[in-house]
Amino acid sequence: MRTLTTAGTIAGAVLTVLVGIWAIGNVVAVAQVDGNDDNIAVMDDCLPGDPGWNPTGGCTLKPHQGDVSTAEFNALLRSPLTIPPNAFLIGHPAWRNEPSHVTTRFGKAIRVTNKGGRGHTFTEVAEFGGGFVPPLNVGLSQAPQCTPAGTIPLPPGATIALTGLAPGLHKFQCCIHPWMRATIRVD
Ligand SMILES: [Cu+2]
């Protein structure tokens, strides 16, 4: 389904393609509006120093880079707008892929960088589903491709390059936080 080549860890590298920069007075606004770029950022906003993150790898963001405590993260895992006893996975919106849909041409590589402070994966799946951390699945069945052995860990700062994707629509997700999804269309 895919070929993954590890491009190595490029901590601090600026990989986001910036397609618009506007300077208004002292305010500089940067927008990423082009869905045709070849970079995807894997994002979170964990709160550095929150001991709640420590048992599962901590939070490597610098102070002021992240503001989401484990309590808030867990509170936003499920939607309260459900019919009991159902519970629907929503997941904290700060845990996300940007952009979450990319259109690219056959033969081009797509670089995926973890810009968050937590561990993630960027795993191709046949269908979106749960990951390998059952408490975060909230009713989703585990996607067969989401096994610890079948995924490439993407620690903070790491970059992987996706190459050799066949024409068509490809589905990727984080196998830890399964609401972190992305689609890549290869023309
Ligand atoms: Cu994740």
Side-chain angles (χ1 to χ4, degrees), residues 92-179:
H92 200 293
W95 271 242
R96 67 209 188 273
N97 296 310
E98 289 189 1
S100 54
H101 179 71
V102 169
T103 302
T104 190
R105 294 194 308 276
F106 178 71
K108 293 187 70 176
I110 294 180
R111 301 173 69 84
V112 180
T113 301
N114 183 353
K115 295 193 174 184
R118 301 277 295 163
H120 301 283
T121 80
F122 195 83
T123 305
E124 183 163 19
V125 294
E127 301 295 344
F128 293 126
F132 54 69
V133 182
L136 299 181
N137 286 344
V138 190
L140 291 178
S141 297
Q142 185 173 353
Q145 294 80 16
C146 272
T147 62
T151 59
I152 297 176
L154 196 59
T159 295
I160 58 172
L162 304 176
T163 60
L165 291 174
L169 184 68
H170 298 262
K171 302 167 188 166
F172 290 85
Q173 69 169 77
C174 179
C175 288
I176 300 169
H177 316 100
W179 63 94

